[in-house]
């Protein structure tokens, strides 16, 4: 029932509907007329109606006014002639309505304003929408809907639309949903629990979608740098932020002249064997993303050229006399400490400054043990797909595996590569796709052997911490001279309490002779030469307070 509100009054601004509100004889009461129906709503009292109408429709306006007076005596109707010669012309209509609302004495402290948009031409409705949206009219929209079924001649219903609220709510909900999707996508749908990792992914998502600046992904091998780079690209692609392709290159696979030409292209005849023009990867990545993995392996000339390409979006292909252009986003990957490489004179400081605006360090798997269970599930599903059969792991087997995996014994030096390989081996050996405790036990033996080699390596020392920490391929590139020394240093680091402690042990003689001022710093610099930090060398996650 119409409730009499003391105090605030409701005022509607509406256009007379020159077709919807028509009707003169008694049968007009059987017809749904939106403007009249609005004044017949049980839960809406219109105290005043500003009825805008073309000057030529005075008669119709009078009828509607009289009818409203009959059904809603509390409504004051104020017919307002508005001369719009062509109500289908946007400019004319907008200007006429704008002039009207500019001089309208709105009193928002005392009155609530509704703008009726069921009647009038579509152009008028659009203009009214714009005027509410731009707050020229401090109100909400009201829309009338006819009744259905037997009720067709009744007053129907009304809907209020608050543009501020609906825009805010819908967009906020949409935004949250999109962000959730983006994060899940970057995490390959794995429900990770590690807070630091989840926060990292959130940041990466934000940066990926807000910025085209270079991004640097660091972290140990197998931590997921390459995969993440590709996913960042795909996310940007789904949000239509890139038009070009994803082009990736592992810089460690390139040497000498081949590197220049692969990256920057060459012209036909630039060197023996250059039988045709080659655009090069930078050019190919135009409009897209170029992922340079192991960027620390890039030679000096390539580094200089890359810097130029990042700064000016131009570079000179090998043998060319004209520069080529390419606009791409760079994502770089490395498991080296590039700052240390700069100090060793092996990486350009200006290039590092250019690419490390956004540096994200992907943690090693053993730094986030709580994520091993969801990742195990993920790997089981992957294995099921790879083997074409459903692979499961019984409760006991799972507990056994996870206890080992999350203990200090679970080194996971190859990170996801190790986990992936372990699960794939177990899945392959499981009869009927069911991984039992025995299958797990056998795998744990393999992993123990892999991570703590008991067989002497070529160097003759009892262990091979160098391969464990650097990975077999990098370790193989070291001179025997460096390798033996690094092996021993790593041994000391493993047993030392802290970086300073290890420094004191390693430089005890120089210390006694006062030749060394800062043992910890000396050790830190030594390790950095191999791209290693204290965490890698000591094999421990907790960083001890560094008193050196
Ligand atoms: N977040 C992750 N969860 C599960 N598996 C992953 C994840 N990231 C990467 N992988 C898998 O681990 C392996 C190594 O990932 P990759 O991106 O190549 O590591 P990186 O480039 O850091 O050496 C790949 O097989 C990849 O599919
Ligand atoms: Mg990689």
């Amino acid at each position: 029932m119409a409730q009499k509100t003391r105090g605030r009054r409701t005022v509607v601004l509406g256009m007379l509907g020159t077709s919807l509100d028509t009707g003169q004889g008694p049968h007009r009461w059987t017809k749904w007329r939106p403007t009249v129906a609005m004044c017949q709503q049980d839960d809406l009292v219109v105290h005043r109606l500003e009825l805008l109408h073309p000057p030529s429709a005075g008669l119709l306006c009078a009828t509607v006014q009289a009818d409203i007076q009959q059904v809603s005596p509390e409504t004051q109707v104020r017919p307002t002639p508005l001369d719009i010669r062509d109500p289908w012309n946007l400019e004319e209509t907008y200007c006429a309505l704008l002039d009207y609302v500019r001089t309208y004495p709105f009193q928002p402290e005392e009155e609530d304003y509704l703008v009726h948009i069921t009647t009038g031409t579509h152009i008028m409705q659009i203009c009214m929408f714009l005027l509410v949206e731009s707050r020229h009219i401090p109100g909400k929209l009201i829309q009338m809907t006819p009744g259905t079924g037997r009720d067709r001649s009744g007053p129907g219903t009304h809907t209020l639309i608050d543009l501020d609220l609906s825009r805010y709510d819908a967009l906020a909900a949409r935004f949250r949903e999109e962000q959730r999707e983006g994060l899940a996508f970057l995490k390959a749908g794995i429900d990770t629990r590690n807070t630091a990792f989840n926060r990292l992914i959130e940041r990466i998502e934000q940066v990926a979608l807000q910025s085209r600046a270079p991004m640097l992904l660091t972290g140990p091998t197998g931590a997921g740098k390459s995969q993440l780079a590709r996913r960042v690209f795909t996310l940007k692609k789904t949000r239509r932020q890139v038009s070009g392709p994803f082009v990736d290159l592992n810089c460690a696979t390139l040497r000498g002249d081949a590197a220049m030409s692969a990256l920057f292209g060459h012209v036909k005849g630039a060197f023996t064997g250059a039988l045709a023009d080659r655009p090069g990867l930078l050019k190919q990545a135009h409009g897209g993303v170029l992922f340079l993995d192991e960027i620390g392996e890039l030679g000096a000339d390539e580094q200089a050229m890359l810097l130029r390409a990042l700064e000016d979006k131009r570079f000179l292909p090998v043998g060319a006399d004209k520069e080529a252009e390419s606009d791409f986003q760079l994502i770089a990957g490395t498991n080296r400490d590039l700052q240390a490489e700069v100090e060793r004179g092996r990486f350009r400081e200006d290039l590092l400054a250019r690419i490390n605006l956004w540096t994200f360090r992907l943690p090693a798997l053993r730094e986030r043990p709580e994520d091993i269970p969801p990742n195990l599930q993920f790997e089981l599903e992957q294995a099921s797909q790879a083997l074409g059969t459903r692979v499961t792991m019984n409760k006991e087997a799972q507990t056994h595996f996870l206890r080992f995996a999350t203990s200090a014994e679970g080194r996971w030096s190859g990170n996801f590569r190790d986990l992936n390989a372990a699960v794939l081996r177990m899945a392959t050996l499981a009869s009927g796709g069911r991984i039992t405790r025995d299958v797990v036990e056998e795998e744990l033996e393999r992993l123990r052997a892999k991570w703590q080699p008991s067989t002497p390596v070529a160097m003759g020392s009892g262990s091979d911490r160098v391969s464990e920490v650097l990975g077999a391929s990098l370790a193989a590139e070291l001179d025997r001279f460096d390798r033996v020394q690094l092996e021993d240093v790593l041994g000391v680091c493993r047993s030392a309490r802290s970086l300073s402690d290890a420094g004191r042990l390693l430089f005890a003689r120089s210390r006694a002779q006062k030749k060394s001022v800062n043992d910890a710093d000396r050790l830190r610099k030594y390790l950095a030469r191999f791209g290693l930090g204290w965490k890698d060398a000591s094999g421990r996650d907790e960083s001890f307070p560094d008193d050196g």
Side-chain angles (χ1 to χ4, degrees), residues 190 220-227 293 368 375 378-379 416-417:
I190 303 171
T221 176
K225 300 180 293 292
S226 307
Q227 169 167 312
D293 204 357
R368 44 187 189 112
N375 271 294
F378 177 78
E379 293 298 343
F416 287 111
R417 281 203 190 88

Side-chain angles (χ1 to χ4, degrees), residues 86-297:
D86 179 5
W88 293 102
N89 179 295
L90 180 72
E91 272 174 294
E92 190 197 346
T93 306
Y94 185 77
C95 289
L97 288 171
L98 181 62
D99 285 344
Y100 169 70
V101 300
R102 272 218 179 123
T103 52
Y104 190 89
F106 289 108
Q107 295 174 283
E109 308 77 32
E110 281 143 47
E111 299 181 331
D112 290 322
Y113 298 97
L114 299 176
V115 175
H116 183 208
I117 52 164
T118 318
T119 47
T121 62
H122 289 133
I123 292 296
M124 286 172 152
Q125 292 165 357
I126 288 168
C127 292
M128 284 303 207
F129 176 93
L130 291 173
L131 291 167
V132 172
E133 159 82 18
S134 60
R135 307 305 292 168
H136 282 93
I137 304 176
K140 301 177 192 168
L141 300 174
I142 179 169
Q143 191 184 4
M144 301 304 302
T145 313
T148 50
R150 280 193 296 124
D151 239 10
R152 288 192 70 89
S153 62
T157 55
H158 70 275
T159 315
L160 298 185
I161 305 165
D162 184 336
L163 287 181
D164 281 354
L165 275 185
S166 57
R167 181 177 48 203
Y168 179 78
D169 286 354
L171 289 188
R174 177 84 194 271
F175 178 73
R176 275 193 303 273
E177 176 59 16
E178 281 202 345
Q179 193 194 22
R180 207 190 50 70
E181 281 170 13
L183 294 179
F185 178 75
L186 288 180
K187 296 196 288 184
I190 303 171
D191 190 14
T192 53
R193 303 163 193 172
N194 183 279
T195 347
F197 181 75
N198 287 342
R199 211 172 324 121
L200 176 78
I201 296 293
E202 260 176 51
R203 283 284 164 274
I204 293 176
E205 192 236 27
Q206 269 182 314
V207 171
L209 295 176
Q210 309 275 339
S211 164
R212 289 197 67 222
M215 219 189 246
L216 177 63
L217 303 178
T218 72
T221 176
K225 300 180 293 292
S226 307
Q227 169 167 312
L228 191 61
R230 190 173 283 276
R231 285 186 177 265
V232 162
F233 165 78
T234 312
L235 183 64
K236 291 178 88 99
K237 180 122 188 141
T238 29
R239 305 284 166 89
R240 296 182 221 302
Q241 294 192 352
V242 285
S243 52
F246 180 79
V247 175
D248 70 327
L249 172 75
N250 187 332
C251 301
T253 61
L254 287 181
R255 286 280 177 263
D257 291 348
M260 269 300 196
S261 133
L263 282 167
F264 306 103
H266 63 236
V267 293
K268 181 178 171 183
F271 48 85
T272 343
L275 300 178
D277 285 1
R278 176 184 187 181
L281 298 176
L282 262 71
K283 186 83 198 167
Q284 226 177 302
H286 180 66
V289 169
L290 176 67
F291 176 52
L292 293 182
D293 204 357
E294 315 277 8
I295 194 166
E297 307 295 318

Side-chain angles (χ1 to χ4, degrees), residues 360-514:
F360 298 103
R361 179 185 165 273
L362 297 192
L365 191 52
R366 67 170 189 274
E367 286 174 56
R368 44 187 189 112
E370 64 272 60
D371 286 344
I372 293 184
N375 271 294
L376 173 63
Q377 279 316 315
F378 177 78
E379 293 298 343
L380 286 169
E381 281 152 30
Q382 297 286 99
S384 303
Q385 278 180 20
L387 300 175
T389 167
R390 201 173 126 67
V391 181
T392 58
M393 204 171 186
N394 70 37
K395 189 100 195 129
E396 193 200 357
Q398 231 175 84
T399 313
H400 191 51
F401 182 82
L402 288 175
R403 194 178 301 129
F404 169 88
T406 55
S407 74
E409 261 194 298
R411 297 197 53 76
W412 302 113
S413 44
N415 295 294
F416 287 111
R417 281 203 190 88
D418 284 354
L419 183 63
N420 175 273
V423 174
L424 197 59
R425 281 190 296 258
M426 291 191 289
T428 308
L429 297 177
S431 63
R434 291 219 304 278
I435 301 176
T436 59
R437 192 191 156 106
D438 288 346
V439 174
V440 168
E441 189 49 49
E442 199 184 318
E443 177 58 29
L444 300 192
E445 282 316 312
R446 270 192 294 269
L447 289 173
R448 283 192 187 100
K450 173 171 159 36
W451 295 330
Q452 276 132 37
S454 51
T455 45
V457 288
M459 298 305 141
S461 79
S463 59
D464 186 13
R465 297 186 198 94
V466 174
S467 310
E468 260 182 81
V469 173
L470 284 182
S473 55
L474 278 180
E477 284 182 18
L478 291 183
D479 283 329
R480 180 177 186 141
F481 178 85
D482 286 323
R483 187 159 178 167
V484 170
Q485 190 176 27
L486 182 58
E487 183 68 36
D488 188 60
V489 169
L490 291 177
V492 173
C493 290
R494 291 279 168 88
S495 51
R497 271 180 35 248
S498 66
L499 179 69
S500 308
D501 191 26
R504 273 191 290 275
L505 284 164
L506 285 163
F507 303 112
R509 295 293 304 155
S510 347
R511 190 184 177 79
Q513 295 161 14
K514 304 211 185 317

